[in-house]
Amino acid sequence: MDQHNKKLLLTCGGIAAIVLVFVLTLGLIGLFFFDKLSDRLPGLHSEDTSEMIMTPSEIESIRRIGQWEFMAINDEELVDTVRKGFFSDDHLVRIYYGTIRLGLDLSDFDASRISRHEDSLAVRLPQITLLDNHFIDEARTQSFHESGSWSNHDRQALYERARHKMKTRCITPATCEGARQLAESQVRRLLMAMGYEKVSISFDEPQQQ
């Protein structure tokens, strides 16, 4: 009888060992597949890494936007110069027309501009900038008054003065803030359309002049 009980205990112990090994094997297999699945689904990751917040294709779609205009300011400037002469003075007066375009240049947008802030997607945007330095429409430039002989160098100097005056008049803290608010609104709308419900947006610090 005792020998029979010993055989029964050994048999039960062997079965229990086999079951234990089977359960451990299933657990390891499950852990392996969960790890693979978590690599594909960012929501299953416990760590907040910038690489997993947005996909490379989403980042590329933003970068492809390139220059995004939010404000266009039309301006005209009358600029003149006088050259003193012995008998009379020479005058050159021209009217310049231009359009100042303010917006974002997203051509360098990358994953370093993305992070998590609590439960929000945090995106850092570049500063509002002048999108086109050649904003004067030279085809519309008018010679208002011209007396005497003027060189191309003289006309170029007048052009540069007009360009400087337009930038000073149009690119102000107020216009930049207006463009910044429009940029924040439009970028937030874009990200929400991509499926991100909570979005926090900031801008690069202004560069020291």
Side-chain angles (χ1 to χ4, degrees):
M1 185 68 179
D2 291 339
Q3 189 174 2
H4 176 73
N5 289 337
K6 288 180 179 180
K7 288 183 179 180
L8 183 61
L9 288 172
L10 288 172
T11 302
C12 292
I15 294 173
I18 293 172
V19 171
L20 180 59
V21 170
F22 181 76
V23 170
L24 289 174
T25 302
L26 286 178
L28 290 173
I29 293 173
L31 184 61
F32 173 81
F33 281 104
F34 179 82
D35 185 65
K36 291 295 184 182
L37 183 62
S38 64
D39 287 340
R40 297 175 179 272
L41 299 176
L44 295 178
H45 260 290
S46 59
E47 296 180 356
D48 289 333
T49 59
S50 60
E51 292 80 10
M52 298 306 297
I53 295 172
M54 294 184 74
T55 66
S57 61
E58 288 175 331
I59 295 173
E60 179 63 20
S61 68
I62 294 175
R63 183 162 49 238
R64 285 179 181 174
I65 294 173
Q67 292 188 340
W68 194 349
E69 179 185 315
F70 296 103
M71 184 175 292
I73 308 167
N74 295 318
D75 189 28
E76 64 177 78
E77 295 289 344
L78 187 149
V79 187
D80 68 312
T81 185
V82 178
R83 183 171 57 215
K84 297 292 184 179
F86 186 77
F87 295 105
S88 63
D89 299 335
D90 294 335
H91 295 266
L92 179 61
V93 185
R94 312 194 89 186
I95 302 176
Y96 296 88
Y97 300 87
T99 302
I100 298 287
R101 304 183 188 279
L102 301 178
L104 297 175
D105 186 352
L106 299 171
S107 57
D108 293 328
F109 189 87
D110 57 24
S112 67
R113 292 186 171 276
I114 306 163
S115 62
R116 286 198 185 278
H117 179 67
E118 297 177 352
D119 61 344
S120 299
L121 173 73
V123 178
R124 179 172 51 84
L125 297 174
Q127 271 292 326
I128 293 294
T129 187
L130 174 64
L131 297 178
D132 184 5
N133 280 310
H134 304 287
F135 50 82
I136 290 181
D137 186 353
E138 296 189 60
R140 296 179 60 198
T141 299
Q142 298 179 9
S143 180
F144 186 75
H145 176 69
E146 183 173 347
S147 62
S149 178
W150 299 92
S151 67
N152 289 333
H153 177 77
D154 296 326
R155 290 181 170 79
Q156 182 63 29
L158 213 61
Y159 170 90
E160 292 298 334
R161 284 178 54 197
R163 185 172 172 275
H164 177 73
K165 290 180 69 173
M166 284 188 185
K167 290 179 67 174
T168 302
R169 184 191 300 273
C170 299
I171 306 177
T172 66
T175 57
C176 288
E177 179 60 27
R180 190 179 295 112
Q181 291 178 4
L182 290 170
E184 181 176 348
S185 174
Q186 293 299 317
V187 172
R188 186 185 306 279
R189 186 174 300 178
L190 170 66
L191 293 172
M192 291 181 69
M194 295 170 67
Y196 300 97
E197 296 182 358
K198 295 184 178 181
V199 179
S200 173
I201 295 176
S202 62
F203 291 84
D204 287 343
E205 292 293 328
Q207 294 182 354
Q208 297 294 328
Q209 300 295 329

